[in-house]
């Protein structure tokens, strides 16, 4: 086990600046998720930690030791990839023990490690099978088993669940989290899925265009996003953004609708409200409904407030039909205000 620190890290691919002044300190035993849209640099950063990609500038420390110039195999890390890359001609047992065999560990010691990992992952009965005889979830577990047997200081996961169907993804998400609670190994996990990030992470690092936008616990990012990008990226359905300005009476949208806010921030240009913070309210503003999506436990309703597209999420059962106009109000205390640069007024 070890802490991990990335200091002033830069990455260039030729003249393309892929990662810019990255500074992240990960505590021993922490589960940190790197999240961001496609191309933001999260896989590159993970591969730099792994030693599969050179760091153009800056330093990487694992357990207080500079490892930036060490080859991947000397870094005491184990990585689980999206395509699990199991050896098709080897059994589960052989797949799991292979890296230890390469390191010339004794057969007895390898056996102990395999039994232990198989026990943790519920793979004991499958040790004699070949990858083609396994389900997607079982293969994913074998890939994790291969990482666990190495007993590394740090686990790295690169979108490990993206090949699985939705239900299995949720199940494996839970399994990886339980595994972490049990092993407490420092983990860095890459995903583009903000729900995966929210549900699994101790802390989340949000990246955009090679820059760290914000680092925080899932609820810190959700409740106090630093800027409009993080506010829009974290949360599903996404936060509504409505352009406008503050007047003497309060926030007025570009098309003249007055919206409630407990604060008055002069240079606000965008009003943000999460779909779940919109309530049906007879004294509210008109909401022209165009789509109603009942999901059982909640109902998602899309439509327009003035000329602005708005999504609302109602937890209670509602009887609304497309084409109807209802009246809604944002919960004033839960509103977010952003300036022209997208920075949120704290
Ligand atoms: P995705 O979710 O699509 O995998 P990502 O956030 O993991 O995206 P990276 O794969 O880290 O993104 O890529 C970051 C940026 O660096 C992208 O613009 C990509 O095109 C670029 N890039 C990645 N690898 C190389 C390379 N070997 N040569 C040149 N550019 C690269």
């Amino acid at each position: 086990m070890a802490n991990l620190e990335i200091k002033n890290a830069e990455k260039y691919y030729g003249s393309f600046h892929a990662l810019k002044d990255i500074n992240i300190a990960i505590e021993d035993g922490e589960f940190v998720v790197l999240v961001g849209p496609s191309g933001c640099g999260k896989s590159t950063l993970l591969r730099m930690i792994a030693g599969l990609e050179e760091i153009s500038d800056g330093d990487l420390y694992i357990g207080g030791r500079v490892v930036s110039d060490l080859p991947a195999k000397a870094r005491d890390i184990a990585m689980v990839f999206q395509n699990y890359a199991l050896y098709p001609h080897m059994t589960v047992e052989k797949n799991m023990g292979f890296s230890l065999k390469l390191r010339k560990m004794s057969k007895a010691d390898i056996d102990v490690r395999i039994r232990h990992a198989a026990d943790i992952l519920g793979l004991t009965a499958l040790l004699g099978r070949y990858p083609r005889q396994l389900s997607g979830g079982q293969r994913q577990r074998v890939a994790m088993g291969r990482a666990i047997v190495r007993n590394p200081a740090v686990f790295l996961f690169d979108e490990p669940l993206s090949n699985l169907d939705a239900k299995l993804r949720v199940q494996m998400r839970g399994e990886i989290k339980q595994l972490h609670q049990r092993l407490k190994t420092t983990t860095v996990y890459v995903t583009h899925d903000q729900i995966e990030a929210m549900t699994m992470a101790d802390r989340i690092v949000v990246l955009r265009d090679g820059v760290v936008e914000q680092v925080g616990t899932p609820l810190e990012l959700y409740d106090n996003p630093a800027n409009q990008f993080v506010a829009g990226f974290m949360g599903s359905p996404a936060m509504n953004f409505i352009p406008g300005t503050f007047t003497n009476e309060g926030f007025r949208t570009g098309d003249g609708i007055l919206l409630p806010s407990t604060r008055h921030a002069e240079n606000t240009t965008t009003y943000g409200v999460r779909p779940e913070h919109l309530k049906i309210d007879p004294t509210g503003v008109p909401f022209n409904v165009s789509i109603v999506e009942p999901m059982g436990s909640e109902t998602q309703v899309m439509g327009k407030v003035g000329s602005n597209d708005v999504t609302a999420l109602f937890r209670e059962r509602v009887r609304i039909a497309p084409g109807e106009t209802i009246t809604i109000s944002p919960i004033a205390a839960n509103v977010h205000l952003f300036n022209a640069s997208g920075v949120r007024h704290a």
Side-chain angles (χ1 to χ4, degrees):
M1 302 236 277
N3 64 337
L4 192 154
E5 211 175 343
I6 303 156
K7 279 193 184 162
N8 308 114
E10 308 277 351
K11 178 67 187 176
Y12 289 91
Y13 289 113
S15 62
F16 178 65
H17 201 175
L19 287 169
K20 298 159 195 160
D21 195 22
I22 306 291
N23 288 283
I24 304 169
I26 299 172
E27 283 169 32
D28 184 15
E30 219 183 350
F31 194 117
V32 167
V33 175
L34 308 180
V35 71
S38 182
C40 68
K42 50 197 186 300
S43 297
T44 299
L45 183 53
L46 196 75
R47 293 169 57 80
M48 278 161 55
I49 297 171
L52 302 173
E53 199 76 69
E54 204 181 308
I55 303 178
S56 307
D57 204 358
D59 277 311
L60 172 69
Y61 300 78
I62 295 179
R65 183 171 71 122
V66 183
V67 298
S68 318
D69 295 324
L70 291 184
K73 63 177 193 296
R75 290 192 186 189
D76 200 9
I77 47 131
M79 189 152 168
V80 179
F81 296 93
Q82 177 178 344
N83 57 347
Y84 338 118
L86 300 180
Y87 300 110
H89 59 287
M90 287 186 195
T91 60
V92 167
E93 181 168 7
K94 291 255 159 45
N95 260 289
M96 280 169 49
F98 189 64
S99 70
L100 304 181
K101 199 172 156 194
L102 285 184
R103 290 193 206 171
K104 313 233 179 309
M105 187 181 271
S106 76
K107 178 146 186 357
D109 287 344
I110 294 177
D111 260 7
V112 170
R113 293 229 188 157
I114 291 175
R115 308 273 149 218
H116 174 66
D119 179 39
I120 290 174
L121 293 163
L123 289 172
T124 305
L126 305 177
L127 285 174
R129 291 217 199 153
Y130 289 89
R132 65 173 183 280
Q133 300 169 314
L134 301 174
S135 71
Q138 289 165 339
R139 275 183 223 152
Q140 183 57 57
R141 255 179 251 141
V142 177
M144 288 196 279
R146 259 190 335 196
I148 292 172
V149 293
R150 294 176 49 192
N151 193 20
V154 179
F155 280 131
L156 304 178
F157 289 90
D158 193 1
E159 305 242 13
L161 307 184
S162 34
N163 286 342
L164 306 178
D165 68 45
K167 195 167 169 203
L168 197 51
R169 249 193 338 254
V170 173
Q171 186 194 330
M172 292 305 295
R173 202 161 82 191
E175 287 189 18
I176 293 177
K177 202 167 164 177
Q178 271 180 12
L179 187 69
H180 178 256
Q181 279 158 4
R182 189 158 172 186
L183 300 176
K184 299 198 166 44
T185 306
T186 311
T187 299
V188 187
Y189 185 106
V190 161
T191 180
H192 62 273
D193 179 347
Q194 54 88 25
I195 297 184
E196 225 166 270
M198 289 287 288
T199 52
M200 298 179 84
D202 292 324
R203 278 190 310 150
I204 297 174
V205 177
V206 183
L207 285 161
R208 174 174 60 159
D209 294 340
V211 173
V212 173
E213 292 283 330
Q214 192 171 2
V215 181
T217 66
L219 293 183
E220 273 166 12
L221 299 197
Y222 196 79
D223 293 338
N224 300 307
N227 55 44
Q228 204 174 329
F229 174 77
V230 176
F233 191 77
M234 305 305 293
S236 175
M239 187 184 287
N240 297 293
F241 295 120
I242 303 175
T245 45
F246 271 96
T247 63
N248 286 339
E249 310 108 306
F251 185 86
R252 220 173 249 292
T253 67
D255 43 12
I257 298 165
L258 204 55
L259 294 176
S261 167
T262 50
R263 283 168 312 149
H264 183 108
E266 211 48 63
N267 60 351
T268 299
T269 55
T270 303
Y271 180 99
V273 60
R274 293 200 182 277
E276 64 270 33
H277 295 143
L278 291 166
K279 297 288 158 212
I280 296 173
D281 174 5
T283 65
V285 297
F287 180 36
N288 303 317
V289 173
S290 52
I291 301 171
V292 179
E293 292 183 343
M295 290 179 285
S297 60
E298 55 200 16
T299 306
Q300 191 169 315
V301 181
M302 278 86 100
K304 282 195 187 287
V305 169
S307 59
N308 303 286
D309 289 322
V310 166
T311 298
L313 194 66
F314 301 124
R315 305 267 186 240
E316 67 275 22
R317 288 280 162 106
V318 287
R319 285 173 176 274
I320 308 170
E324 255 181 76
T325 298
I326 60 171
T327 47
I328 56 170
S329 277
I331 300 173
N334 293 118
V335 159
H336 303 268
L337 305 173
F338 304 93
N339 70 17
S341 315
V343 176
R344 177 176 164 274
H345 292 289

